Amino acid sequence: MKTLSFLLQKEFKQIFRNPTLLRLIIAVPIIQLMILPLAADYEIKNINLAVVDVDKSRYSEELIQKITASGYFVNIGTTTSFDEAFSWIEEDKADLILEIPENFERNLIRENKERLFMAINAINGVKANMGGAYLGQIIQSYNAEVRMEWIPDTKVPPMPTISISSLNWFNPSLNYDFFMVPGILVFLVTMVGTYMTALNIVKEKEVGTIEQINVTPIKKLHFTLAKLIPFLVIGIFVFTLGLFIVARLVYGIVPAGNIGMIYAYLFLYLISVLGVGLLLSNYSQTQQQAMSLAFFFVMIFLLMGGLFTSIDAMPLWAKWIAYLNPVSYFIDFMRLVVMKGSTFADVKHHFMVICGFAVFFNTWAVISYKKTS
Amino acid sequence: MYDVELNHITKTYENGAVQAVKDVSFGVKKGELFGLIGPDGAGKTSIFRMLTTLLIPDSGTASVNGFDVVEDFREIRKRVGYMPGKFSLYQDLTVEENLEFFATVFNTSIEENYDLIKDIYVQIEPFKKRRAGKLSGGMKQKLALSCALIHRPTVLFLDEPTTGVDAVSRKEFWEMLRRLKEQGITILVSTPYMDEAALCERIALIQNGSILSINTPQEIINSYPKPLYAIKAHKMSALLHALRDSNLVDSAFSFGEWHHITLQDSVTAEQLKVSLQAEFPTVQMEAIEPGIEDCFIQQSLAQHEVEL
């Protein structure tokens, strides 16, 4: 115990003497939490719309007005020639063309139907899909208004329609930050557990101090624990800073679930990612190697972890990678507990899996450590 | 009884492709200052790493303080001090913190063994609040030695302690070793500098992983088989070629200002001088006492011939 406490003192001394590392520990969580949610916002706004209005009637005017009033579209110009509108798409000024044909108003009233034409630039698939869907909805609701105008007689029974009204649970205002911030917290903790740990251990190898340590009676277990515990503490610190300072003060996120349970899970998660860090350090001799290895794995862990994209939407083989990825469980856990307020019974599976990961990575790290020394 | 003993130690790297240490055996007596002398790549560091339990030998046995380096490595680690060739203390800790760290690691304190390191430590004490990384080469070396001594080891292993250190510091360093020896500490030191060999009590000459000879420096010099001459003239390079081509000369090597040569059997110095007079009118020649380097060259050539 005495040796361990002494080794820990030495580790903390070294960490606090490294101004770059210290700045990273404090600045990174704050900056990343401020910036990343903006980049990962999938709500599509400001779609550039070009209108080809050949009809130039009251109805077509009203329709265009209604579309721009929705806030999703920016009308970049109205013309009478489709070719001109198309050239705007080619110049990347417009994302979408809506063509209102000649006699739109007349046909709609006389013949009770008329067609509109929509051309969408589909290079950005998400934007194209969403843009098309928004525009369709707006036109439909306009259609309903027109119908109301022409069938005012209540004696005639109205046509049967199904109306859908939805209620958004757990994130009523559909605020994307609420979804992203808990995930980014996981990302930060993962960085600390893998990169920082691996680099710190490999540094001793690279500088040669591990030689000097190995000739002393210090046990490997003590040495390793003294390397891991500081990053466990830093991981918890970074998480706390993110959750209670940035998430609460900047985004107004207050976890709906039990804070104690979140920390219990964080602890188990850190144990498993520290195992990954230890593992990486066993397989590298220099900090450069460790950095490259860590970058490779953390990249996969994060992109396959459901932070930016939904795991449910992945192909089956990719889903399996996500299931073997500790990051995806913590991100899921965080969203469930922070937003939905899930209880232990709901996330029991998450707890079991992360315990499994902790045992798996650390066992592997211990075995490989013996082999390479 | 030997304090450090090696019996037929062999070590290979890269699955046997590189033979670093070949069947090495020697013993170091208690309280002896023993030198392992050889060029870079001779296998000195491998031997040190095996004796300090950092490396496991492929075959053979070795013991330190009577403890086997493989079986009883824990006992050895409590007792020995090791100063690797490369500075390996914590550069971001101060002089004092490094020393304190290594004292605590061995369950002791600076005060307890201060008498042992006093002579060395007083020289760096004015800088004790300075980080180790910011020390000069000579001061780093003194700190490393202090850290290796702080737990009062019975055996001290110093791997090329004077490499990259200036001439004055080197001299000081050997002076420190002599004082440590008086405290009864067994010291095993390696060096590529042949002139330092004379400062050891006994030396082992090592080349390509094999021991050439083990003896006191004086005995090694005495065992030099032939009279040795130093020769010089105005055109040193041409002289060396002429000597090597001459059938009167057995061996000729350049030693800075002079060439060191041995003659074929039954050839006298006068005969050679006469034969060179025409081409090198200023030639000077005198009989000299061989140095360790002469012995090393002679022995490694002799071994090379045996191997051929």
Side-chain angles (χ1 to χ4, degrees), chain A residues 286-361:
Chain A
T286 64
Q287 294 187 65
Q288 196 188 23
Q289 284 172 8
M291 194 73 194
S292 313
L293 261 180
F295 189 72
F296 173 74
F297 282 107
V298 170
M299 201 72 173
I300 292 181
F301 275 176
L302 291 176
L303 291 183
M304 301 299 286
L307 177 59
F308 301 109
T309 47
S310 165
I311 293 173
D312 295 327
M314 292 178 186
L316 190 63
W317 61 267
K319 271 186 197 169
W320 273 104
I321 297 179
Y323 294 151
L324 297 173
N325 178 357
V327 177
S328 47
Y329 291 90
F330 195 19
I331 290 181
D332 199 36
F333 172 89
M334 282 296 282
R335 285 174 180 161
L336 285 177
V337 178
V338 171
M339 295 169 76
K340 202 173 167 186
S342 296
T343 58
F344 181 72
D346 303 317
V347 291
K348 212 165 69 187
H349 174 68
H350 292 73
F351 267 97
M352 268 151 53
V353 172
I354 207 69
C355 286
F357 276 122
V359 171
F360 172 73
F361 285 125

Coordinates of all heavy atoms in Angstrom, one line a residue, chain A residues 286-361:
Chain A
T286 N 7.0 3.0 -28.8 CA 7.2 4.4 -28.7 C 5.8 5.1 -28.6 O 4.8 4.5 -28.9 CB 7.9 4.9 -30.0 OG1 7.0 4.6 -31.1 CG2 9.2 4.2 -30.2
Q287 N 5.9 6.4 -28.2 CA 4.6 7.1 -28.1 C 3.9 7.3 -29.4 O 2.7 7.4 -29.5 CB 4.9 8.5 -27.5 CG 5.4 8.4 -26.0 CD 5.5 9.7 -25.3 OE1 4.6 10.4 -25.1 NE2 6.8 10.1 -25.0
Q288 N 4.8 7.4 -30.5 CA 4.2 7.6 -31.8 C 3.4 6.3 -32.2 O 2.3 6.4 -32.7 CB 5.3 7.8 -32.8 CG 4.8 8.3 -34.1 CD 6.0 8.3 -35.2 OE1 6.9 7.6 -35.1 NE2 5.8 9.2 -36.2
Q289 N 3.9 5.2 -31.9 CA 3.2 3.9 -32.2 C 1.9 3.9 -31.4 O 0.8 3.5 -31.9 CB 4.0 2.7 -31.9 CG 5.1 2.4 -32.8 CD 6.1 1.3 -32.3 OE1 5.8 0.7 -31.3 NE2 7.1 1.1 -33.0
A290 N 2.0 4.2 -30.1 CA 0.8 4.1 -29.3 C -0.2 5.1 -29.8 O -1.4 4.8 -29.8 CB 1.2 4.5 -27.8
M291 N 0.2 6.3 -30.2 CA -0.7 7.3 -30.7 C -1.5 6.8 -31.9 O -2.7 6.9 -32.0 CB 0.1 8.6 -31.0 CG -0.8 9.8 -31.2 SD -1.3 10.3 -29.6 CE -2.6 11.5 -30.1
S292 N -0.7 6.2 -32.8 CA -1.3 5.7 -34.1 C -2.3 4.6 -33.8 O -3.4 4.6 -34.3 CB -0.3 5.2 -35.1 OG 0.8 6.2 -35.1
L293 N -1.9 3.7 -32.9 CA -2.8 2.6 -32.6 C -4.1 3.1 -31.9 O -5.2 2.7 -32.3 CB -2.1 1.7 -31.6 CG -1.4 0.4 -32.1 CD1 -0.8 -0.4 -31.0 CD2 -2.5 -0.5 -32.8
A294 N -3.9 4.0 -31.0 CA -5.0 4.5 -30.2 C -6.0 5.3 -31.2 O -7.2 5.1 -31.1 CB -4.5 5.4 -29.1
F295 N -5.4 6.0 -32.1 CA -6.2 6.8 -33.1 C -7.0 5.8 -33.9 O -8.2 6.0 -34.1 CB -5.3 7.6 -34.0 CG -6.0 8.5 -34.9 CD1 -6.5 9.7 -34.3 CD2 -6.1 8.3 -36.2 CE1 -7.2 10.6 -35.1 CE2 -6.8 9.2 -37.0 CZ -7.4 10.3 -36.5
F296 N -6.4 4.7 -34.3 CA -7.1 3.8 -35.1 C -8.3 3.2 -34.4 O -9.5 3.2 -34.9 CB -6.2 2.6 -35.5 CG -6.8 1.5 -36.2 CD1 -7.2 1.6 -37.5 CD2 -7.0 0.3 -35.5 CE1 -7.8 0.5 -38.2 CE2 -7.6 -0.8 -36.2 CZ -8.0 -0.7 -37.5
F297 N -8.1 2.7 -33.1 CA -9.2 2.1 -32.4 C -10.2 3.1 -31.9 O -11.4 2.8 -32.0 CB -8.6 1.3 -31.2 CG -8.0 0.0 -31.6 CD1 -6.7 -0.2 -31.7 CD2 -8.8 -1.0 -32.1 CE1 -6.1 -1.4 -32.1 CE2 -8.3 -2.2 -32.5 CZ -6.9 -2.4 -32.5
V298 N -9.8 4.2 -31.5 CA -10.8 5.2 -31.0 C -11.7 5.7 -32.1 O -12.9 5.9 -31.9 CB -10.0 6.4 -30.3 CG1 -11.0 7.5 -29.9 CG2 -9.4 5.9 -29.0
M299 N -11.1 5.8 -33.3 CA -11.8 6.2 -34.5 C -13.0 5.2 -34.7 O -14.1 5.6 -34.9 CB -10.9 6.2 -35.6 CG -11.3 7.1 -36.8 SD -11.1 8.8 -36.3 CE -11.5 9.5 -37.9
I300 N -12.6 4.0 -34.7 CA -13.6 2.9 -35.0 C -14.6 2.9 -33.9 O -15.9 2.9 -34.1 CB -13.0 1.6 -35.2 CG1 -12.1 1.6 -36.5 CG2 -14.0 0.5 -35.2 CD1 -11.5 0.2 -36.7
F301 N -14.1 2.9 -32.6 CA -15.0 2.9 -31.5 C -16.1 4.0 -31.6 O -17.2 3.8 -31.3 CB -14.2 3.1 -30.2 CG -13.6 1.8 -29.7 CD1 -12.8 1.9 -28.6 CD2 -13.9 0.6 -30.2 CE1 -12.2 0.7 -28.0 CE2 -13.3 -0.6 -29.7 CZ -12.5 -0.5 -28.6
L302 N -15.6 5.2 -31.9 CA -16.5 6.3 -31.9 C -17.5 6.4 -33.1 O -18.7 6.6 -32.9 CB -15.7 7.6 -31.8 CG -15.0 7.8 -30.5 CD1 -14.1 9.0 -30.5 CD2 -16.0 7.9 -29.4
L303 N -16.9 6.1 -34.3 CA -17.8 6.2 -35.4 C -18.8 5.0 -35.5 O -19.9 5.2 -36.0 CB -17.0 6.3 -36.7 CG -16.2 7.6 -36.9 CD1 -15.5 7.6 -38.2 CD2 -17.2 8.8 -36.8
M304 N -18.4 3.9 -34.9 CA -19.3 2.7 -34.9 C -20.1 2.7 -33.5 O -20.7 1.7 -33.3 CB -18.5 1.4 -35.0 CG -17.7 1.3 -36.3 SD -18.6 1.4 -37.8 CE -19.4 -0.2 -37.7
G305 N -20.0 3.7 -32.8 CA -20.6 3.7 -31.4 C -21.9 4.4 -31.4 O -22.5 4.4 -30.3
G306 N -22.5 4.8 -32.5 CA -23.8 5.4 -32.5 C -23.8 6.9 -32.0 O -24.8 7.4 -31.6
L307 N -22.6 7.5 -32.0 CA -22.6 8.9 -31.5 C -23.3 9.8 -32.5 O -24.1 10.6 -32.2 CB -21.1 9.3 -31.3 CG -20.9 10.8 -30.9 CD1 -21.7 11.1 -29.6 CD2 -19.5 11.1 -30.7
F308 N -22.9 9.6 -33.8 CA -23.4 10.5 -34.9 C -24.5 9.9 -35.6 O -25.4 10.5 -36.2 CB -22.3 10.9 -35.8 CG -21.2 11.6 -35.1 CD1 -19.9 11.1 -34.9 CD2 -21.4 12.9 -34.6 CE1 -18.9 11.7 -34.3 CE2 -20.3 13.6 -34.0 CZ -19.1 13.0 -33.8
T309 N -24.4 8.6 -35.8 CA -25.4 7.9 -36.6 C -26.1 6.8 -35.8 O -25.5 6.3 -34.8 CB -24.7 7.2 -37.8 OG1 -23.6 6.5 -37.3 CG2 -24.3 8.2 -38.8
S310 N -27.3 6.4 -36.2 CA -28.0 5.4 -35.5 C -27.5 4.0 -35.8 O -27.3 3.7 -36.9 CB -29.5 5.6 -35.8 OG -30.2 4.4 -35.4
I311 N -27.3 3.2 -34.7 CA -26.8 1.9 -34.9 C -27.9 1.0 -35.6 O -27.6 0.2 -36.4 CB -26.4 1.2 -33.5 CG1 -25.2 1.9 -33.0 CG2 -26.1 -0.3 -33.7 CD1 -24.8 1.5 -31.6
D312 N -29.1 1.3 -35.3 CA -30.2 0.6 -35.9 C -30.3 0.7 -37.4 O -30.8 -0.2 -38.1 CB -31.6 1.1 -35.3 CG -31.7 0.8 -33.9 OD1 -31.2 -0.2 -33.4 OD2 -32.3 1.6 -33.1
A313 N -29.7 1.8 -37.9 CA -29.7 2.0 -39.4 C -28.5 1.3 -40.1 O -28.4 1.3 -41.3 CB -29.7 3.5 -39.7
M314 N -27.6 0.7 -39.3 CA -26.4 0.1 -39.9 C -26.7 -1.3 -40.5 O -27.7 -1.9 -40.0 CB -25.3 -0.1 -38.8 CG -24.7 1.2 -38.3 SD -23.5 0.9 -37.0 CE -23.1 2.5 -36.5
P315 N -25.9 -1.7 -41.5 CA -26.1 -3.1 -42.0 C -25.7 -4.1 -40.9 O -25.0 -3.7 -39.9 CB -25.2 -3.2 -43.1 CG -24.2 -2.0 -43.0 CD -24.9 -1.0 -42.2
L316 N -26.2 -5.3 -41.0 CA -26.0 -6.3 -39.9 C -24.6 -6.4 -39.5 O -24.3 -6.4 -38.3 CB -26.6 -7.6 -40.4 CG -26.7 -8.6 -39.3 CD1 -27.6 -8.2 -38.2 CD2 -27.0 -10.0 -39.8
W317 N -23.6 -6.5 -40.5 CA -22.2 -6.7 -40.1 C -21.7 -5.6 -39.3 O -20.9 -5.8 -38.3 CB -21.4 -7.0 -41.3 CG -21.3 -5.9 -42.3 CD1 -22.1 -5.7 -43.4 CD2 -20.5 -4.7 -42.3 NE1 -21.9 -4.5 -44.0 CE2 -20.8 -3.9 -43.4 CE3 -19.4 -4.3 -41.5 CZ2 -20.2 -2.7 -43.7 CZ3 -18.8 -3.1 -41.8 CH2 -19.2 -2.3 -42.9
A318 N -22.2 -4.4 -39.6 CA -21.7 -3.2 -38.9 C -22.3 -3.2 -37.5 O -21.7 -2.7 -36.5 CB -22.0 -1.9 -39.6
K319 N -23.6 -3.7 -37.4 CA -24.2 -3.8 -36.1 C -23.4 -4.6 -35.2 O -23.2 -4.3 -34.0 CB -25.6 -4.4 -36.2 CG -26.6 -3.3 -36.5 CD -28.0 -4.0 -36.5 CE -29.0 -3.1 -37.1 NZ -30.3 -3.7 -37.4
W320 N -22.8 -5.7 -35.7 CA -22.0 -6.6 -34.8 C -20.8 -5.9 -34.3 O -20.4 -6.1 -33.2 CB -21.6 -7.9 -35.6 CG -22.7 -8.9 -35.4 CD1 -23.7 -9.2 -36.3 CD2 -23.0 -9.6 -34.2 NE1 -24.5 -10.1 -35.8 CE2 -24.2 -10.3 -34.5 CE3 -22.5 -9.6 -32.9 CZ2 -24.8 -11.2 -33.5 CZ3 -23.0 -10.4 -32.0 CH2 -24.2 -11.2 -32.2
I321 N -20.2 -5.0 -35.2 CA -19.0 -4.3 -34.7 C -19.5 -3.3 -33.5 O -18.8 -3.2 -32.5 CB -18.4 -3.4 -35.8 CG1 -17.9 -4.4 -36.9 CG2 -17.3 -2.5 -35.3 CD1 -17.2 -3.7 -38.1
A322 N -20.7 -2.8 -33.7 CA -21.2 -1.9 -32.7 C -21.5 -2.6 -31.4 O -21.2 -2.1 -30.3 CB -22.4 -1.2 -33.2
Y323 N -21.9 -3.9 -31.5 CA -22.2 -4.7 -30.3 C -21.0 -5.0 -29.6 O -21.0 -5.3 -28.4 CB -23.0 -6.0 -30.7 CG -24.4 -5.7 -31.2 CD1 -24.9 -6.6 -32.1 CD2 -25.1 -4.6 -30.9 CE1 -26.2 -6.4 -32.6 CE2 -26.4 -4.4 -31.4 CZ -26.9 -5.3 -32.3 OH -28.1 -5.1 -32.8
L324 N -19.8 -5.1 -30.3 CA -18.6 -5.5 -29.7 C -17.8 -4.2 -29.2 O -16.6 -4.3 -28.9 CB -17.7 -6.3 -30.6 CG -18.3 -7.6 -31.1 CD1 -17.5 -8.2 -32.2 CD2 -18.4 -8.5 -29.9
N325 N -18.5 -3.1 -29.2 CA -17.8 -1.8 -28.9 C -18.3 -1.3 -27.6 O -19.5 -0.9 -27.5 CB -18.2 -0.9 -30.1 CG -17.6 0.5 -30.0 OD1 -17.0 0.8 -29.0 ND2 -17.9 1.3 -31.0
P326 N -17.5 -1.1 -26.6 CA -18.0 -0.6 -25.3 C -18.6 0.8 -25.4 O -19.5 1.1 -24.7 CB -16.7 -0.6 -24.4 CG -15.6 -0.8 -25.4 CD -16.1 -1.4 -26.6
V327 N -18.1 1.6 -26.4 CA -18.5 2.9 -26.5 C -20.0 3.0 -26.8 O -20.8 3.8 -26.2 CB -17.8 3.7 -27.6 CG1 -18.3 5.1 -27.8 CG2 -16.3 3.7 -27.3
S328 N -20.5 2.1 -27.6 CA -21.9 2.2 -28.0 C -22.8 1.9 -26.8 O -23.9 2.5 -26.7 CB -22.3 1.2 -29.1 OG -21.7 -0.1 -28.9
Y329 N -22.4 1.1 -25.8 CA -23.2 0.8 -24.7 C -23.3 2.0 -23.7 O -24.3 2.3 -23.2 CB -22.7 -0.4 -23.9 CG -22.9 -1.7 -24.7 CD1 -21.9 -2.1 -25.6 CD2 -24.0 -2.4 -24.6 CE1 -22.0 -3.3 -26.3 CE2 -24.2 -3.6 -25.4 CZ -23.2 -4.0 -26.2 OH -23.4 -5.1 -27.0
F330 N -22.1 2.7 -23.6 CA -22.1 3.8 -22.7 C -23.0 5.0 -23.3 O -23.7 5.6 -22.6 CB -20.7 4.3 -22.4 CG -20.6 5.2 -21.2 CD1 -21.6 5.3 -20.2 CD2 -19.4 5.9 -21.0 CE1 -21.5 6.1 -19.1 CE2 -19.3 6.8 -19.9 CZ -20.3 6.9 -19.0
I331 N -22.8 5.2 -24.6 CA -23.6 6.2 -25.3 C -25.1 6.0 -25.1 O -25.9 6.8 -24.7 CB -23.2 6.4 -26.7 CG1 -21.8 6.9 -26.9 CG2 -24.2 7.3 -27.5 CD1 -21.3 7.1 -28.3
D332 N -25.5 4.7 -25.3 CA -26.9 4.3 -25.2 C -27.3 4.5 -23.8 O -28.4 5.1 -23.5 CB -27.0 2.9 -25.6 CG -28.4 2.5 -26.0 OD1 -29.1 3.4 -26.6 OD2 -28.8 1.4 -25.7
F333 N -26.5 4.0 -22.8 CA -26.8 4.2 -21.4 C -27.0 5.6 -21.0 O -28.0 6.0 -20.4 CB -25.6 3.6 -20.6 CG -25.8 3.8 -19.1 CD1 -26.4 2.9 -18.3 CD2 -25.2 4.9 -18.5 CE1 -26.5 3.1 -16.9 CE2 -25.3 5.1 -17.2 CZ -25.9 4.2 -16.4
M334 N -26.1 6.5 -21.5 CA -26.2 7.9 -21.1 C -27.5 8.5 -21.7 O -28.2 9.3 -21.0 CB -25.0 8.7 -21.7 CG -23.7 8.5 -21.0 SD -23.9 9.2 -19.3 CE -23.7 10.9 -19.7
R335 N -27.8 8.2 -22.9 CA -29.1 8.8 -23.5 C -30.3 8.3 -22.7 O -31.2 9.0 -22.5 CB -29.1 8.4 -25.0 CG -28.1 9.3 -25.7 CD -28.1 8.9 -27.2 NE -27.1 9.8 -27.8 CZ -26.5 9.6 -29.0 NH1 -26.8 8.5 -29.6 NH2 -25.6 10.4 -29.5
L336 N -30.3 7.0 -22.4 CA -31.4 6.4 -21.7 C -31.6 7.1 -20.3 O -32.7 7.4 -19.9 CB -31.2 4.9 -21.5 CG -31.4 4.0 -22.7 CD1 -31.2 2.6 -22.4 CD2 -32.9 4.2 -23.2
V337 N -30.4 7.2 -19.6 CA -30.5 7.6 -18.2 C -30.7 9.1 -18.1 O -31.5 9.6 -17.4 CB -29.3 7.1 -17.4 CG1 -29.4 7.7 -15.9 CG2 -29.3 5.6 -17.4
V338 N -29.9 9.8 -18.9 CA -30.0 11.3 -18.9 C -31.3 11.8 -19.4 O -31.9 12.7 -18.8 CB -28.8 11.9 -19.6 CG1 -28.9 13.5 -19.7 CG2 -27.5 11.6 -18.9
M339 N -31.7 11.3 -20.5 CA -32.9 11.9 -21.2 C -34.2 11.2 -20.7 O -35.2 11.9 -20.5 CB -32.8 11.8 -22.7 CG -31.7 12.6 -23.2 SD -31.3 12.3 -24.9 CE -32.7 13.1 -25.7
K340 N -34.2 9.9 -20.6 CA -35.4 9.2 -20.4 C -35.6 8.9 -18.9 O -36.7 8.6 -18.4 CB -35.3 7.8 -21.1 CG -36.6 7.2 -21.5 CD -36.3 6.0 -22.4 CE -37.4 5.1 -22.5 NZ -37.0 3.9 -23.3
G341 N -34.5 9.0 -18.1 CA -34.6 8.7 -16.7 C -34.7 7.2 -16.4 O -35.4 6.8 -15.5
S342 N -34.1 6.3 -17.2 CA -34.2 4.9 -17.0 C -33.7 4.5 -15.7 O -32.7 5.1 -15.2 CB -33.4 4.2 -18.1 OG -34.0 4.4 -19.4
T343 N -34.2 3.4 -15.2 CA -33.8 2.9 -13.9 C -32.9 1.7 -14.1 O -32.7 1.3 -15.2 CB -35.0 2.5 -13.0 OG1 -35.7 1.5 -13.8 CG2 -35.9 3.6 -12.7
F344 N -32.3 1.2 -13.0 CA -31.4 0.1 -13.1 C -31.9 -1.1 -13.8 O -31.3 -1.7 -14.6 CB -30.9 -0.3 -11.7 CG -29.9 -1.4 -11.7 CD1 -28.6 -1.2 -12.1 CD2 -30.2 -2.7 -11.4 CE1 -27.6 -2.2 -12.2 CE2 -29.3 -3.7 -11.4 CZ -28.0 -3.5 -11.9
A345 N -33.2 -1.4 -13.6 CA -33.8 -2.5 -14.2 C -33.8 -2.4 -15.8 O -33.6 -3.3 -16.5 CB -35.3 -2.7 -13.8
D346 N -33.9 -1.1 -16.2 CA -33.9 -0.9 -17.7 C -32.5 -1.0 -18.3 O -32.4 -1.4 -19.5 CB -34.4 0.6 -18.0 CG -35.7 0.8 -17.4 OD1 -36.6 -0.1 -17.5 OD2 -35.9 1.9 -16.8
V347 N -31.5 -0.8 -17.5 CA -30.1 -0.8 -18.1 C -29.3 -1.9 -17.5 O -28.1 -1.8 -17.6 CB -29.4 0.6 -17.8 CG1 -30.1 1.7 -18.7 CG2 -29.4 1.0 -16.4
K348 N -29.9 -2.9 -16.9 CA -29.2 -4.0 -16.3 C -28.3 -4.7 -17.4 O -27.1 -5.0 -17.1 CB -30.2 -5.0 -15.8 CG -29.7 -5.8 -14.6 CD -30.8 -6.5 -13.9 CE -31.3 -7.7 -14.7 NZ -32.5 -8.3 -14.1
H349 N -28.8 -4.8 -18.6 CA -28.0 -5.4 -19.7 C -26.8 -4.6 -19.9 O -25.7 -5.2 -20.1 CB -28.9 -5.4 -20.9 CG -28.2 -5.9 -22.1 ND1 -27.8 -7.2 -22.3 CD2 -27.8 -5.2 -23.3 CE1 -27.1 -7.3 -23.4 NE2 -27.2 -6.1 -24.1
H350 N -26.9 -3.3 -19.9 CA -25.7 -2.4 -20.2 C -24.7 -2.7 -19.1 O -23.5 -2.7 -19.4 CB -26.1 -0.9 -20.1 CG -27.0 -0.5 -21.3 ND1 -28.3 -0.9 -21.4 CD2 -26.7 0.2 -22.4 CE1 -28.8 -0.4 -22.5 NE2 -27.9 0.3 -23.1
F351 N -25.1 -2.8 -17.9 CA -24.2 -3.0 -16.8 C -23.4 -4.4 -16.9 O -22.2 -4.5 -16.8 CB -24.9 -3.0 -15.4 CG -24.9 -1.7 -14.8 CD1 -26.0 -0.8 -14.9 CD2 -23.8 -1.2 -14.0 CE1 -26.0 0.4 -14.3 CE2 -23.8 0.0 -13.4 CZ -24.9 0.9 -13.6
M352 N -24.2 -5.4 -17.3 CA -23.6 -6.7 -17.5 C -22.6 -6.7 -18.6 O -21.4 -7.2 -18.4 CB -24.7 -7.8 -17.8 CG -25.2 -8.4 -16.5 SD -26.9 -9.0 -16.6 CE -26.9 -10.0 -18.0
V353 N -22.9 -6.1 -19.7 CA -22.0 -6.0 -20.8 C -20.7 -5.3 -20.5 O -19.6 -5.8 -20.8 CB -22.7 -5.4 -22.1 CG1 -21.7 -5.2 -23.2 CG2 -23.8 -6.3 -22.5
I354 N -20.8 -4.2 -19.8 CA -19.6 -3.4 -19.5 C -18.7 -4.1 -18.5 O -17.5 -4.1 -18.6 CB -20.0 -1.9 -19.0 CG1 -18.8 -1.0 -19.4 CG2 -20.3 -1.9 -17.6 CD1 -18.6 -0.7 -20.8
C355 N -19.3 -4.9 -17.6 CA -18.5 -5.7 -16.7 C -17.7 -6.7 -17.5 O -16.5 -7.0 -17.3 CB -19.4 -6.4 -15.7 SG -20.0 -5.3 -14.4
G356 N -18.4 -7.3 -18.5 CA -17.7 -8.3 -19.4 C -16.6 -7.6 -20.1 O -15.5 -8.2 -20.1
F357 N -16.8 -6.4 -20.6 CA -15.7 -5.7 -21.3 C -14.5 -5.5 -20.4 O -13.4 -5.6 -20.8 CB -16.2 -4.4 -21.9 CG -16.8 -4.6 -23.3 CD1 -18.1 -4.1 -23.4 CD2 -16.2 -5.1 -24.3 CE1 -18.8 -4.3 -24.7 CE2 -16.8 -5.3 -25.6 CZ -18.1 -4.8 -25.7
A358 N -14.8 -5.0 -19.2 CA -13.8 -4.7 -18.2 C -12.9 -5.9 -17.9 O -11.7 -5.9 -18.0 CB -14.4 -4.2 -16.9
V359 N -13.6 -7.1 -17.7 CA -12.8 -8.3 -17.5 C -12.0 -8.7 -18.7 O -10.8 -9.0 -18.6 CB -13.8 -9.4 -17.0 CG1 -13.1 -10.8 -17.0 CG2 -14.5 -9.1 -15.7
F360 N -12.7 -8.6 -19.8 CA -12.0 -9.1 -21.1 C -10.8 -8.3 -21.4 O -9.7 -8.8 -21.6 CB -13.0 -9.0 -22.2 CG -12.4 -9.2 -23.6 CD1 -12.1 -10.5 -24.0 CD2 -12.2 -8.2 -24.5 CE1 -11.5 -10.7 -25.2 CE2 -11.7 -8.4 -25.7 CZ -11.3 -9.7 -26.1
F361 N -10.9 -6.9 -21.4 CA -9.8 -6.1 -21.8 C -8.6 -6.2 -20.8 O -7.4 -6.3 -21.2 CB -10.2 -4.7 -22.0 CG -10.9 -4.4 -23.3 CD1 -12.2 -3.8 -23.3 CD2 -10.4 -4.8 -24.5 CE1 -12.9 -3.6 -24.4 CE2 -11.1 -4.6 -25.7 CZ -12.3 -4.0 -25.7

